[in-house]
Amino acid sequence: MVAVLERQGPELTPPELGRAPVSIEPYRSSAYFELEREHIFKRVWLCVGREEEIPGNGDFFVKDVEVFNASALVVRGQDGVVRAFHNVCSHRCNKVVWESSGTAKQFVCKYHHWTYGLNGALRGVPDALMFFDLQKSDCALTPIYVDLWEGFIFLNFAPRPAESLSAYLGGLGRKLQGYPFARFSAYAKLAATFKANWKVGVDAFQEGYHVGALHRRTIGPQFTSSLNPFGRLISAELFGPHRSGSIWGNRELRPRPTELTAFTYNTPIGSDKEVDAEIVLPPGINPTRDPNWAVEMNVIFPGLFVFVSRQGYILHNFIPVTHELTRWECHIHFTPPRSARQLFAQQFSICAVRDTFVEDGINIERSQEGIRSGAKACLHFQDNEVFLRHQIAVVEDYVRRGAAAGPPGA
Ligand code: FES
Ligand SMILES: [Fe+2]
């Protein structure tokens, strides 16, 4: 029997987002994706990592940003400043750094040994006398705009960013300010490439309507019960292009036997228990102070999720490759384990999260197959899918305003 719940509180969907079905074209059209590439991804700030990945001077990592066919070299200089460059040699365009991460005093291109400082300046050119008026100062690595927020490293590929990262993040940045991201420094990384449009991937993570159905064998019991069988949000806030919602947790959860063992040694993400009494959440989290609050879902446009809880946080980043191919990365952050038991319990949680995301990944590709088939012309979003409706409205707004303004940087 299907439970029927009364509506609780006002509608989450503001009137300006409308109520009508949404056109399917932006989720399947390669032409529309080209507009998104120009008017969204080349304009907005994109998260590529965290400062903990490059703690020391000279530490670097390389990040492929497939939506631009770009390879970004992110490095902490000898002065401690984080900089980013296109990982492309000024001589004949080879990739300067082939490793994915490391520590360096300088970068030496393998092809002919042109040498660059950590600040991108061209330092050395073997047999320089044989060049014709080569100006070293014109041949530095090409910089990419970089900015930091709460330890997250963001890049902007515009010729000139329209606004600072802090202005871009606006109210959502302020809401999350002070969350103890650095305390949850132990992490596991999962990654995959989905044969689906990036928005289909994002949408699969920004509603709880599917959790009791698709995830009934995995996380369903943690986030649904007879009290909230359809995973309704506790609250929803929109912050410009970004959004944030409080996720309900089942406080009467009866863990399965292996879960019981694991949960004894590590409090799972989304529980009402603390792992560290010193961890204080910013006041904007769980704005309604609901006792069933489990996790705050925060979506930084276009595709970065920051799920924060008392026990740790989970990041998802969706960056497109093509209109039907999306790179997904997930980081699951905990406090560093204090014992082998806690390490086991954290690994158990990571496996449980992985199983859930396998369900999501398969589901995302099946959705895209249906979208691609052309059988339907529109998607239907209910009130608890308000974030999906907001996402497509923001996408359409960027594309419309970008097309009216001309090329990025103009
Ligand atoms: S391409 Fe880098 S030194 Fe020649
Ligand atoms: Fe899911």
Side-chain angles (χ1 to χ4, degrees):
M1 186 174 134
V2 176
V4 178
L5 293 185
E6 292 299 315
R7 267 191 180 280
Q8 293 150 346
E11 291 182 351
L12 300 175
T13 307
E16 61 272 22
L17 288 182
R19 300 288 186 271
V22 167
S23 168
I24 216 165
E25 275 312 299
Y27 300 84
R28 53 180 273 172
S29 158
S30 58
Y32 197 87
F33 176 66
E34 291 307 318
L35 296 172
E36 292 175 339
R37 192 201 312 263
E38 283 303 310
H39 302 309
I40 297 175
F41 290 94
K42 274 194 188 158
R43 287 176 186 267
V44 301
W45 288 95
L46 300 171
C47 181
V48 291
R50 285 207 39 92
E51 278 201 89
E52 292 100 283
E53 296 173 62
I54 45 172
N57 295 351
D59 291 348
F60 69 86
F61 65 81
V62 171
K63 182 82 178 175
D64 289 333
V65 187
E66 290 99 333
V67 66
F68 308 125
N69 297 314
S71 170
L73 171 59
V74 180
V75 57
R76 189 182 294 278
Q78 292 303 350
D79 53 2
V81 174
V82 176
R83 297 183 178 85
F85 306 97
H86 284 277
N87 182 25
V88 178
C89 183
S90 303
H91 177 216
R92 278 168 46 202
C93 290
N94 201 346
K95 277 192 176 172
V96 176
V97 178
W98 294 3
E99 299 83 8
S100 58
S101 64
T103 303
K105 289 198 167 61
Q106 59 184 9
F107 298 116
V108 183
C109 181
K110 289 183 175 50
Y111 206 170
H112 311 90
H113 282 186
W114 280 33
T115 303
Y116 300 88
L118 300 183
N119 62 357
L122 177 62
R123 277 190 184 161
V125 176
D127 207 8
L129 284 175
M130 294 300 279
F131 278 94
F132 308 96
D133 294 327
L134 183 76
Q135 300 297 318
K136 276 199 205 162
S137 57
D138 293 340
C139 295
L141 294 176
T142 305
I144 304 170
Y145 284 94
V146 59
D147 207 346
L148 305 175
W149 167 77
E150 296 289 312
F152 291 90
I153 302 168
F154 283 73
L155 304 184
N156 192 308
F157 285 80
R160 194 177 58 246
E163 56 191 342
S164 68
L165 175 61
S166 138
Y168 177 65
L169 296 175
L172 182 56
R174 290 190 290 278
K175 169 172 172 165
L176 291 176
Q177 202 166 359
Y179 179 82
F181 290 105
R183 294 289 286 269
F184 301 112
S185 56
Y187 71 93
K189 179 177 166 184
L190 309 172
T193 303
F194 297 135
K195 287 186 206 148
N197 184 271
W198 66 280
K199 298 186 294 300
V200 175
V202 169
D203 284 358
F205 283 76
Q206 57 178 347
E207 49 89 354
Y209 185 30
H210 75 283
V211 170
L214 182 70
H215 299 311
R216 66 189 182 283
R217 291 195 194 85
T218 50
I219 57 163
Q222 277 183 59
F223 297 104
T224 61
S225 80
S226 57
L227 296 173
N228 187 5
F230 306 114
R232 288 183 187 168
L233 284 168
I234 296 168
S235 63
E237 298 173 284
L238 305 178
F239 296 94
H242 320 296
R243 57 208 79 104
S244 178
S246 296
I247 294 176
W248 187 93
N250 177 14
R251 298 291 171 240
E252 267 111 54
L253 177 71
R254 290 212 198 116
R256 299 158 182 132
T258 41
E259 287 175 335
L260 201 56
T261 309
F263 293 173
T264 305
Y265 302 119
N266 191 65
T267 313
I269 284 179
S271 124
D272 56 350
K273 303 194 178 54
E274 289 163 347
V275 289
D276 184 340
E278 288 178 21
I279 286 173
V280 178
L281 300 180
I285 305 284
N286 184 18
T288 62
R289 300 289 179 263
D290 192 294
N292 278 89
W293 177 83
V295 177
E296 202 83 341
M297 166 172 50
N298 304 284
V299 191
I300 295 174
F301 185 78
L304 176 67
F305 286 75
V306 188
F307 285 93
V308 303
S309 77
R310 292 186 183 92
Q311 301 83 19
Y313 71 97
I314 298 179
L315 301 176
H316 295 285
N317 207 356
F318 293 89
I319 302 274
V321 180
T322 71
H323 73 294
E324 285 195 338
L325 204 61
T326 299
R327 180 80 185 149
W328 163 77
E329 283 185 13
C330 169
H331 286 206
I332 306 158
H333 284 255
F334 297 109
T335 51
R338 294 195 194 103
S339 65
R341 286 173 174 173
Q342 194 181 16
L343 178 62
F344 152 75
Q346 290 182 350
Q347 293 298 318
F348 178 88
S349 293
I350 291 163
C351 292
V353 170
R354 177 206 59 194
D355 291 349
T356 305
F357 297 156
V358 167
E359 292 174 332
D360 283 312
I362 293 167
N363 174 67
I364 287 166
E365 292 195 340
R366 296 295 170 273
S367 296
Q368 190 70 39
E369 287 166 13
I371 289 168
R372 191 188 303 132
S373 76
K376 303 289 182 188
C378 61
L379 306 170
H380 298 271
F381 296 149
Q382 55 123 293
D383 196 34
N384 207 40
E385 294 171 309
V386 54
F387 288 165
L388 289 69
R389 195 179 286 281
H390 180 241
Q391 171 87 348
I392 191 62
V394 173
V395 165
E396 289 178 339
D397 188 49
Y398 263 89
V399 167
R400 194 169 38 243
R401 284 190 292 122

